[in-house]
């Protein structure tokens, strides 16, 4: 094979490897991001903050690139999916288990010794299972196939 043909193939592959991770996980803000789909969200109140565990699934391309290049491939898409919570801080992403842990600060208001969470946060696409649970939540609140976080309270 001539050197110029080999060089051309190498350059094309290098370009695809450089561009594909970014394109695999990005999308229009506020719109369901191709490549990352929320399957379940667990919310655990902690004072005014919410600890969020998000399970997601990815397309084959995104999964391959996240395994090769790490969690930074899916991080923008995860942040976009949870933008309704303000600016949640990423704690960890497990690309093998397709799980992300985040903390959303100052989501609840304290009134008469009870935190109220009624911001009406929405997801850009339906979440299969949303579970709200915690030490002081009387019983877990589970909502299936939802785009909205319901109002709830928490006794610290």
């Amino acid at each position: 094979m001539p050197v110029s043909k080999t060089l051309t193939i190498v350059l094309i592959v290098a370009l695809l490897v450089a561009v594909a991770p970014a394109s695999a996980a990005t999308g229009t803000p506020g719109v369901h991001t191709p490549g990352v789909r929320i399957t379940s969200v667990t919310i655990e109140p902690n004072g005014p903050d919410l600890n969020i565990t998000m399970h997601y699934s990815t397309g084959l391309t995104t999964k391959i690139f996240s395994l090769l290049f790490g969690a930074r491939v899916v991080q923008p898409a995860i942040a976009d999916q949870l933008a309704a919570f303000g600016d949640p801080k990423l704690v960890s992403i497990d690309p093998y288990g397709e799980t992300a842990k985040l903390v959303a600060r100052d989501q609840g208001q304290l009134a008469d010794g009870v935190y109220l969470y009624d911001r009406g946060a929405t997801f850009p696409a339906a979440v299969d299972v949303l579970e709200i649970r915690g030490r002081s939540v009387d019983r877990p609140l589970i909502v299936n196939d939802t785009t909205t976080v319901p109002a709830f309270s928490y006794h610290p």
Side-chain angles (χ1 to χ4, degrees), residues 13-14 16 24 29 31 35 37 41 45 47 69 73 79 83-85 89 91 96 103 110 122-123 125-127 140 146:
V13 169
L16 288 174
V31 175
R37 181 180 165 280
V41 174
F69 299 105
V73 172
F85 291 98
K89 302 298 177 211
V91 175
Y96 297 98
V103 174
L110 185 61
T122 59
F123 301 103
V127 174
T146 186

Side-chain angles (χ1 to χ4, degrees), residues 43-50 104 106-109 114-120 132 137 149-155:
I43 296 175
E44 297 182 62
N46 184 17
D49 305 332
L50 298 176
D106 299 321
Q107 300 294 306
Q109 301 295 321
V114 176
Y115 281 99
L116 301 174
Y117 303 90
D118 60 355
R119 299 183 96 194
I132 300 169
V137 175
V149 177
F152 66 97
S153 61
Y154 163 73
H155 304 278

Side-chain angles (χ1 to χ4, degrees), residues 24-103:
T26 58
T28 306
V31 175
H32 176 63
T33 305
V36 174
R37 181 180 165 280
I38 301 173
T39 56
S40 71
V41 174
T42 302
I43 296 175
E44 297 182 62
N46 184 17
D49 305 332
L50 298 176
N51 296 325
I52 301 170
T53 302
M54 183 180 102
H55 296 274
Y56 61 90
S57 62
T58 61
L60 180 61
T61 304
T62 303
K63 183 161 189 80
I64 290 169
F65 281 105
S66 67
L67 294 175
L68 290 174
F69 299 105
R72 72 177 190 270
V73 172
V74 294
Q75 187 173 347
I78 289 170
D80 183 47
Q81 299 291 323
L82 299 175
F85 291 98
D87 185 20
K89 302 298 177 211
L90 183 65
V91 175
S92 66
I93 296 178
D94 175 8
Y96 297 98
E98 294 184 328
T99 303
K101 294 184 183 263
L102 303 99
V103 174

